[in-house]
Amino acid sequence: MRSVRDAAFDVLRAHGLTTVFANPGSTEVSLLSDLPDDLEFVLALHEGSVVGAATGWAIARQAPALALLHTTAGLGNAVGALATARENRAPLVVLVGQQDRRHLAQEPFLAGRLEGLAGDYPVRVETPPRAQDVPGAIGRAAHAARTARGPALVIVPMSDWAEPMEELPVPAPAVLLQSSGTDARSVAKVAGLLGAAVSPALVVGAGADDAATWEALTELAETLGCPVWQESFGARAGFPQDHPSFAGHLPGDRTRLRETLAPHDFVLVVGAPALRQYPYATGPLVHEGTRLVLVTDDPGEAHRAPVDLAVLTPLPAFCAELAGAVPPRPAAVRPDFRRRAAAVEPPREGEPLRAAHVFAAFAGRLPADTVVVEETPSSRPDLHALLPARRPLGFLSAAMGGLGFAMPAAVGVRMAVPERPVVAMLGDGSSLYQIQSLWTAAHYHVGVIFVVLANGRYAVMDRLAELQGGKPPWPAFEEVSVSAMAGALGCPARRVTDHAELLRELDAVVPTLRDRTEPLLLEVAVEPDPIFVP
């Protein structure tokens, strides 16, 4: 007789969930022992790395990924990464182990109160009432992960997998189709507003990061002859950042935001919150004469947006129809809004390296389709200026803002799209949050280049304390060697301390990016950057 486990494997196969990212515990052994040959197991050494790698995989594949967590300890360790997955709109099916159903009422060792542990970050949490309901719950989680674009959790008692499966249909649709069409009236409404605007502008965000939407927004920007801004704190690029219409990244404070958008009487926000801020400041988002309209496929963004009009719609089709519906503006030439980065001069003899020197060295060498996974809070503006995203999925960061995303996410991205070069840019403080993921990269031959900018401190926190007029109480950690830890985890690593050495390393490594099957960590000693204002 077929078991619940057998039926669950069939559901996983039907949804393409055949790669299992996991850090197993005893409550999951009954599922994982003698795993079928067509299911691939990927071990990570911490649950944050499990979910981080699955998140990178899901974003790169634009399809749900499967993660397995161990009861209370595992789910608890992964909550921050699940929050990031939710904010990054990454579809995940997460199976969480639980103690044996037959004595759960007595709260045995390793039993967990799991349903509320991750808070509101999962898009769905289900504990099946019977063992035989587990396969259907997995199918429902796969659909929820796709439609709500986030982590969907299924909590499974360890005894359920061996139970006999009844010969009834699994209560979840085998295939769920969503309409990709648009409402012609919505297109006409937004097109009319754009056509009537004297000085329109576009703001794009992570939701627009796919080839079809980039193409449509490029046509729209060229038709309008208007600038295109990237949302502040964007986790992905919503527009080709080397295009003449790209004006740069919006500032993250309200005063500078108002001034940036002041020349425009109409701002269309596509695939981004309207408009994300940090830190808090008083006053309106935009001047009284500026009208805001949002187009998004995220219900949460639409519901909370302080805009005149919000349109909830699939973005590729809507943007394509909108680009065709807007008449060209009477401009003699197409303007060039690009803000070209100031030339970065190499450091003089004896001068220390800075982050900008590292980014500038990469800028002329990286292939256009490189995926840059970022976690360098203190030097992010320099990275944006010097390493613009030139292809969809060209830039990836943690929408939540928490640390510990970039290293495992880069592993997951490269595993999902091995034809794309992948470079992770991290601060040394950031790298320590999920340093364990280097073992996964080494063991599974994942050819990511990890560039760790080592200044021996939490530089962005130091700068924020200085902006408050205070002195940080936390110490530096200059004695920490990330390259030594990488070596201990089986990942090849080298430490770079001067510019000439950096250039030699990049000339040797960058040409191998597309085909390499071995990770490499470059720990680059840098001087902390000046005060960074988001």
Side-chain angles (χ1 to χ4, degrees), residues 169-261:
V170 171
V175 178
L176 178 64
L177 298 178
Q178 288 180 270
S179 172
S180 59
T182 59
D183 175 19
R185 293 173 298 177
S186 299
V187 173
K189 176 69 172 176
V190 177
L193 293 171
L194 277 171
V198 175
S199 177
L202 304 182
V203 174
V204 299
D209 185 23
D210 66 82
T213 309
W214 274 36
E215 182 179 355
L217 289 174
T218 300
E219 181 184 348
L220 180 61
E222 291 175 352
T223 298
L224 294 170
C226 74
V228 180
W229 296 89
Q230 172 73 32
E231 64 167 318
S232 57
F233 308 105
R236 298 169 68 179
F239 192 83
Q241 295 177 352
D242 57 347
H243 189 277
S245 296
F246 185 68
H249 292 73
L250 284 180
D253 70 275
R254 194 166 297 198
T255 302
R256 289 187 298 147
L257 174 68
R258 274 197 304 270
E259 295 311 308
T260 299
L261 298 178

Side-chain angles (χ1 to χ4, degrees), residues 129-166:
R130 305 177 304 153
Q132 290 74 19
D133 296 318
V134 168
I138 294 172
R140 292 188 290 276
H143 292 314
R146 284 183 184 274
T147 55
R149 292 178 306 170
L153 275 57
V154 181
I155 299 165
V156 186
M158 58 193 295
S159 55
D160 284 9
W161 301 113
E163 290 293 311
M165 186 65 192
E166 59 193 7

Side-chain angles (χ1 to χ4, degrees), residues 330-353:
V333 294
R334 290 176 180 168
D336 190 335
F337 295 102
R338 283 175 292 191
R339 294 183 172 186
R340 290 169 175 79
V344 178
E345 297 296 331
R348 299 189 190 92
E349 184 70 31
E351 284 187 346
L353 282 169

Side-chain angles (χ1 to χ4, degrees), residues 19 21 40 52-66 409 412-413 415-416:
T19 299
F21 294 92
E40 180 184 5
T55 298
W57 173 284
I59 290 172
R61 285 282 181 94
Q62 298 185 37
L66 176 63
V413 168
M415 293 180 78

Side-chain angles (χ1 to χ4, degrees), residues 297-512:
D297 58 0
D298 185 312
E301 282 181 355
H303 297 163
R304 63 178 175 263
V307 297
D308 299 301
L309 170 68
V311 180
L312 188 59
T313 183
L315 292 181
F318 184 92
C319 292
E321 292 186 27
L322 181 63
V326 173
R329 301 178 69 82
V333 294
R334 290 176 180 168
D336 190 335
F337 295 102
R338 283 175 292 191
R339 294 183 172 186
R340 290 169 175 79
V344 178
E345 297 296 331
R348 299 189 190 92
E349 184 70 31
E351 284 187 346
L353 282 169
R354 292 192 180 272
H357 296 132
V358 180
F359 302 147
F362 272 97
R365 292 171 168 82
L366 288 182
D369 63 340
T370 300
V371 183
V372 175
V373 187
E374 176 269 338
E375 200 163 276
T376 58
S378 60
S379 51
R380 195 178 194 192
D382 283 331
L383 186 147
H384 282 323
L386 294 165
L387 295 174
R390 294 172 283 171
R391 298 286 188 276
L393 192 63
F395 173 80
L396 179 59
S397 186
M400 193 67 187
L403 301 180
F405 171 76
M407 195 169 272
V411 176
V413 168
R414 177 71 175 187
M415 293 180 78
V417 284
E419 70 277 8
R420 296 280 297 265
V422 179
V423 175
M425 296 283 189
L426 308 99
D428 50 353
S430 300
S431 72
L432 298 177
Y433 281 77
Q434 287 301 327
I435 193 76
Q436 304 95 328
S437 53
L438 292 176
W439 179 90
T440 302
H443 182 81
Y444 293 99
H445 308 290
V446 183
V448 175
I449 302 298
F450 301 93
V451 182
V452 176
L453 305 175
N455 55 37
R457 54 186 42 80
Y458 293 129
V460 71
M461 296 302 300
D462 294 345
R463 299 308 178 232
L464 288 172
E466 291 169 12
L467 285 172
Q468 296 288 329
K471 182 179 179 182
W474 48 85
F477 44 87
E478 294 173 338
E479 65 273 27
V480 171
S481 172
V482 178
S483 55
M485 283 188 282
L489 289 163
C491 177
R494 293 194 277 276
R495 182 172 171 85
V496 176
T497 58
D498 64 64
H499 194 252
E501 186 182 9
L502 172 67
L503 298 185
R504 286 195 299 271
E505 290 287 355
L506 298 192
D507 286 339
V509 168
V510 171
T512 72

